[in-house]
Structures are given as structure tokens and as C-alpha cells.
Amino acid sequence: MQEIWMFTAVALMIVMVPGVDSLLVLKNTMIHGKKAGFFTMVGIVVALFVWTTLAVLGLATIISKSIVVFLFIKYAGAAYLVYLGIQSWRAKAQNMMLQEQITPNQNKNASLSCMVQGITTDLLNPKTLLLYVTLMPQFIQPEFNVNSQLILLAGILIVLSIVWLGIVIFVINGIRKWFMKPVVQSVFNKMTGVLLIGIGVRIAKEQ
């Protein structure tokens, strides 16, 4: 039981520290509204479920030990973040519209795109992989069922992610109307772009 509480505290800090997930949810909520933020969060959660499944099957450890596969995930993830950053930098201010001004078809496409972004960034995030194969095992007691403990710890991580990202969506959607000025939109897009590109470059350069 002590290990569970310790992991919960560590996982909470990991989730709350500003990173790719929070930045992506923030960006999509600000640009497209709370529905897009929610779909981004759904994509992130789906990716976490995939990583949990791979970990339970033992495939996550195999992936982490394969230099070729690990480097592919690392550089593909970095490249994707740079791509999203460039997109954000080049985005026009008028694309940042209030939800009611977007047609149903545009809204659907934006939501699906945001969910794909959430899935892709987390599946190609080497830090998420390392979390499953290096951090979680430290809180698992070998005398008990390992897979059950792994699923429990992953469940805690997923619940904390949903709660925290939900708070981000709620807060950002609440202040979103103050960011509708073209100048503010343009600055926000460029700042987000720089951050995404910076994170991508940092991931690519990490040893």
C-alpha cells in the first residue's frame, strides 16, 4: 500500500509538470475550444492504454532495449513535435475562432485531428515508454502479481492525467474569450510553436 501512495505522489508531480501533454491540450483548447481539448485528452489516454497493454505483455521492455526501435520512437516523436510547432507558428490568427462560429464539419475535423495529435505524441514519446519500463517497476513488489500491480499503477497514472488535463481544459476554456484579439492570437500561436519545436529538439538531442 505504501508503494501505491508513493507512486501516486510521484505520478502526480510528473503529470502536473508542464510538458507535451499539457501544452498540446492547452493549445488545442485555446484554438478550437473545450471539445477539441477533450478529444486531445482522449487521444493521450488511448495512447496510455496502448502503452499499458504493451507493458503487461512485456513488449514495452523489449522496445526499450531495442536501440533501433527506441531511436525510431525518439526521433519520430521529436520530428512530429517540430512539425506541430511549425504548424502553430504559421497558423493565422483568424483560425482561432469561438466555438459557435465553427461549422459542424469543421468542428468534427478539428476534434478528430486533435485526438490523433494526442495519440501520436504520446505513442512517440520516449519518456512515456521509460516511465513504464523504469519508473513503475520500482514500485512493484515481486512477491505479488506483477501484471496486476502494473495495471493498477497505470490506472492511477491515467486517472491523474484525466483529472489534471480536465482542469487545464476547464481553466483555459474559461479565459479563452480574452484571447480572441488577432495580436494576442498571433503571439500565442508563435509562443506555442517555439515551445513545441524546442521540446522536439530537446528530445532529439537527449542521450
Side-chain angles (χ1 to χ4, degrees), residues 124-143:
L124 295 178
N125 190 343
K127 292 185 177 181
T128 305
L129 169 61
L130 293 176
L131 189 154
Y132 274 88
V133 300
T134 61
L135 179 64
M136 286 187 183
Q138 297 181 38
F139 298 90
I140 291 178
Q141 298 176 290
E143 62 268 24

Side-chain angles (χ1 to χ4, degrees), residues 78-171:
Y80 187 67
L81 287 177
V82 171
Y83 166 74
L84 291 179
I86 293 173
Q87 273 196 326
S88 181
W89 177 273
R90 297 176 61 185
K92 296 180 180 179
Q94 59 263 33
N95 288 336
M96 200 171 175
M97 299 178 292
L98 290 172
Q99 193 71 19
E100 58 265 23
Q101 294 176 303
I102 303 175
T103 65
N105 189 50
Q106 288 176 314
N107 190 21
K108 180 180 179 180
N109 291 338
S111 298
L112 291 177
S113 175
C114 290
M115 185 168 69
V116 170
Q117 288 179 24
I119 294 173
T120 306
T121 51
D122 248 47
L123 285 182
L124 295 178
N125 190 343
K127 292 185 177 181
T128 305
L129 169 61
L130 293 176
L131 189 154
Y132 274 88
V133 300
T134 61
L135 179 64
M136 286 187 183
Q138 297 181 38
F139 298 90
I140 291 178
Q141 298 176 290
E143 62 268 24
F144 299 107
N145 187 287
V146 173
N147 283 342
S148 297
Q149 295 179 76
L150 183 58
I151 292 173
L152 175 60
L153 296 180
I156 292 172
L157 176 65
I158 291 171
V159 169
L160 290 176
S161 297
I162 291 173
V163 172
W164 173 247
L165 294 178
I167 292 173
V168 172
I169 293 169
F170 176 79
V171 172

